[in-house]
Amino acid sequence: MYATSCGADNSSFISLPIRNITLASEVVKRGIALLVGSPPQNLAFLIDAYDNNVFVYNVGDMCASNTPPVQCEGDHGGEFDLGSSSTWLQAGNHSSWNGAQADFASDTGDIFGNDILELDNATPTSLINFPIVIEQSTDLTANVIGGNVSSTLLGTLAAGKIIASRSWSVFWGLTGADSSSQMDGNLVLGGYDLAKTTGNNHTAAMSEGQGCTMFVYMTSIQMNFPNGTNFEILGTSQGDALRMCIQPSYPIITIPSNIYDAFTSYSGGIYLNRSYGINLWGQVFEAEDVYPGDLTFTLDSGLPIKIANSQLVVPDVLIDATGSPVFDNDTREILLNSLDPPNNNDIPLLGRTFLTSAYLYVNLDKKQFTLWQANATTDETVVVVGPSVTCSATNTLTAASTSSASAFASTSMSSDPAIQKPSNGTIAGATVGAIIGVALLLAAVSTLQCRSRRKISAAGPAGVEHGMVMYPQGETRDDVNPEVAMHELHEGNLNHEIGEGAVHELGDSGGDGNRF
């Protein structure tokens, strides 16, 4: 985790770790650490590709009466106590506030204001009077940093020359069952981490005003068994390619039910139920004889992204009544969500499970994104991208041009990764830009209808909320209290508290402890 200056215009980047963060009530949540208010309150955030503003939960809000508050704190990634912040300034409504208006097509009931936002990096950056939204709807399940084209955080940092460009990149890290399959990830602002990429890439234009900013087309989804046997499960029912939306704030991967049925026809195992834990809506199986293989998604450009079994099949971790993460050692969760009715028309989502194995770079200035197969490492080689600067920073806090950046121009925004363009022949009839609405999570009590705070026109067929997570008839997340033998993840294994020694120096091996 570090920041560096680079070039004559003193442009910089910021690298923030994605790790387990100890919150106010000793609750642990994986995410990106930001400090909010005065005195500073440490919260865990996700990066969200659809929103533009920074959203946080207020203490006690959006928590069901039958759910212990500490459990909601764990679910949300901590809660901001605006009444305890001496620097909180509340605005009347969003139209009289200096945040991004793009998130609010109508009055939402959210609370708008300004406060100090501090990035917990090696050289802490404090943003005074920063616009913040207090979440009052059910669309989000955690505190989020908006990463869309009008991102307030990226715009503020770039305008102040704290970062070189309005660009960000993310590797979620590894979240498997044991230390050998666990690793911190990182979020880079102002460039991308070359060390976490491998092989060719896939670059495409972002979409605006359609609810999803990044979509890809898959021409193959293949199951890879340990004995070398491979099974194709995409089939031909989706046409030439399956359109999917990348959403880093969503926990798992959703696929059409016929593709999931093909998966289970080969995977075997004994199915139990869906998960109501931190990887909401995944498929829970008995641990014995659960699927042992990997899963490879191939994009229309030919780029394969292989998700290792250790990241696809994980413990079903829940937040218990004390706010602690617990799991049942006799079960495993496959991080796939079958899009059954009434969600069968939803566009499939590629969430954080995908980003354990894919590295994502987003350039808001050029309105395009790039994917690589991720190279899981805690080493960092950050390539700073900007209008008049390109450099690579590696193994030192002072940036210097190195051979690893030789493929990138040094005088213009063409310093982005070299592009491997997709093959047009594999997306016959596909209309670029007609994507989806991916407002995330919760609601759908008895009618299986989901309410969306930030509705976008032309998001999909009438009556369809693309990408929403639905609960079974008559249930909400708080109605489900599975009675199983749970194993607590002890605090000693969840040791990445803000300000402690897990700050990433370059080349830090990391990866210790149980990180979910």
Side-chain angles (χ1 to χ4, degrees):
M1 181 176 61
Y2 60 100
T4 186
S5 295
C6 174
D9 61 356
N10 201 36
S11 296
S12 304
F13 70 89
I14 293 173
S15 179
L16 300 169
I18 296 174
R19 60 183 183 183
N20 280 12
I21 301 163
T22 302
L23 305 171
S25 301
E26 300 303 311
V27 176
V28 175
K29 180 74 171 183
R30 186 178 180 89
I32 302 150
L34 299 182
L35 305 174
V36 184
S38 301
Q41 302 173 38
N42 63 310
L43 304 175
F45 286 78
L46 301 173
I47 182 74
D48 183 84
Y50 177 55
D51 287 303
N52 295 280
N53 291 287
V54 169
F55 288 81
V56 300
Y57 279 87
N58 185 39
V59 170
D61 289 348
M62 308 308 298
C63 188
S65 59
N66 63 339
T67 304
V70 70
Q71 186 172 354
C72 288
E73 181 185 358
D75 284 337
H76 296 159
E79 296 172 336
F80 177 55
D81 187 352
L82 63 87
S84 296
S85 176
S86 62
T87 48
W88 170 257
L89 297 173
Q90 190 160 322
N93 53 57
H94 69 84
S95 61
S96 61
W97 166 77
N98 65 337
Q101 299 297 313
D103 291 339
F104 309 103
S106 61
D107 185 27
T108 63
D110 292 331
I111 299 171
F112 305 89
N114 298 77
D115 212 328
I116 296 174
L117 184 72
E118 183 174 324
L119 279 62
D120 183 53
N121 58 302
T123 55
T125 300
S126 293
L127 305 176
I128 310 300
N129 199 36
F130 188 83
I132 294 172
V133 184
I134 307 297
E135 175 72 16
Q136 295 290 293
S137 81
T138 58
D139 291 345
L140 303 173
T141 55
N143 306 315
V144 299
I145 301 167
N148 205 343
V149 292
S150 298
S151 170
T152 54
L153 180 60
L154 273 294
T156 300
L157 293 173
K161 294 188 179 296
I162 299 169
I163 59 176
S165 62
R166 296 187 315 120
S167 63
W168 57 271
S169 55
V170 63
F171 168 56
W172 180 243
L174 304 180
T175 57
D178 54 45
S179 60
S180 66
S181 58
Q182 297 163 2
M183 182 182 294
D184 289 348
N186 69 345
L187 173 71
V188 175
L189 307 178
Y192 62 98
D193 189 349
L194 192 63
K196 295 187 173 58
T197 71
T198 183
N200 293 330
N201 64 51
H202 172 99
T203 297
M206 297 177 68
S207 173
E208 293 185 71
Q210 301 295 327
C212 175
T213 58
M214 294 175 284
F215 68 97
V216 292
Y217 289 85
M218 299 297 177
T219 57
S220 171
I221 304 176
Q222 195 171 84
M223 299 171 68
N224 316 119
F225 283 82
N227 65 2
T229 303
N230 299 313
F231 291 102
E232 175 61 52
I233 59 173
L234 180 58
T236 59
S237 63
Q238 306 300 320
D240 293 312
L242 174 67
R243 185 176 63 186
M244 305 187 77
C245 175
I246 301 171
Q247 176 49 288
S249 64
Y250 188 78
I252 60 175
I253 296 172
T254 67
I255 55 176
S257 58
N258 64 314
I259 297 177
Y260 179 75
D261 291 343
F263 175 87
T264 55
S265 71
Y266 293 117
S267 66
I270 298 176
Y271 171 78
L272 299 176
N273 53 264
R274 288 180 182 264
S275 172
Y276 289 86
I278 63 173
N279 294 308
L280 182 65
W281 232 195
Q283 313 287 338
V284 180
F285 285 75
E286 289 188 0
E288 185 177 2
D289 296 327
V290 71
Y291 176 58
D294 305 330
L295 193 64
T296 300
F297 290 81
T298 301
L299 283 71
D300 55 358
S301 59
L303 176 68
I305 302 293
K306 176 176 283 191
I307 302 174
N309 181 267
S310 64
Q311 306 306 305
L312 180 70
V313 183
V314 300
D316 178 24
V317 179
L318 298 91
I319 303 297
D320 71 5
T322 69
S324 300
V326 295
F327 70 97
D328 176 9
N329 204 38
D330 293 328
T331 67
R332 286 293 182 267
E333 180 181 0
I334 298 178
L335 301 181
L336 297 174
N337 174 9
S338 175
L339 293 174
D340 301 320
N343 299 100
N344 49 301
N345 289 324
D346 291 5
I347 300 296
L349 300 179
L350 296 166
R352 297 190 296 275
T353 299
F354 186 70
L355 295 175
T356 65
S357 303
Y359 187 78
L360 172 65
Y361 165 67
V362 182
N363 189 319
L364 302 180
D365 294 320
K366 298 188 72 173
K367 298 182 181 179
Q368 67 181 29
F369 67 94
T370 301
L371 285 171
W372 291 265
Q373 175 76 43
N375 177 38
T377 177
T378 54
D379 292 338
E380 290 190 343
T381 303
V382 174
V383 175
V384 178
V385 177
S388 59
V389 56
T390 302
C391 73
S392 171
T394 181
N395 297 323
T396 175
L397 293 181
T398 302
S401 296
T402 69
S403 59
S404 62
S406 61
F408 308 100
S410 59
T411 58
S412 72
M413 289 301 292
S414 61
S415 56
D416 281 314
I419 298 173
Q420 282 79 45
K421 293 186 179 294
S423 169
N424 293 331
T426 60
I427 54 173
T431 302
V432 174
I435 332 288
I436 63 175
V438 288
L440 285 181
L441 292 184
L442 304 181
V445 180
S446 62
T447 62
L448 288 174
Q449 295 294 318
C450 284
R451 125 184 207 270
S452 172
R453 179 190 65 230
R454 293 174 290 282
K455 287 190 179 291
I456 303 296
S457 61
V464 176
E465 298 282 353
H466 289 301
M468 303 293 267
V469 170
M470 302 294 187
Y471 289 96
Q473 187 78 20
E475 291 184 352
T476 69
R477 184 175 186 168
D478 298 305
D479 294 324
V480 181
N481 295 296
E483 297 180 358
V484 292
M486 293 294 183
H487 299 270
E488 184 169 356
L489 302 177
H490 297 293
E491 183 179 351
N493 291 330
L494 295 163
N495 56 6
H496 286 309
E497 184 172 358
I498 295 177
E500 292 189 349
V503 174
H504 276 258
E505 299 296 331
L506 301 188
D508 183 8
S509 60
D512 58 315
N514 291 332
R515 301 183 184 137
F516 295 95

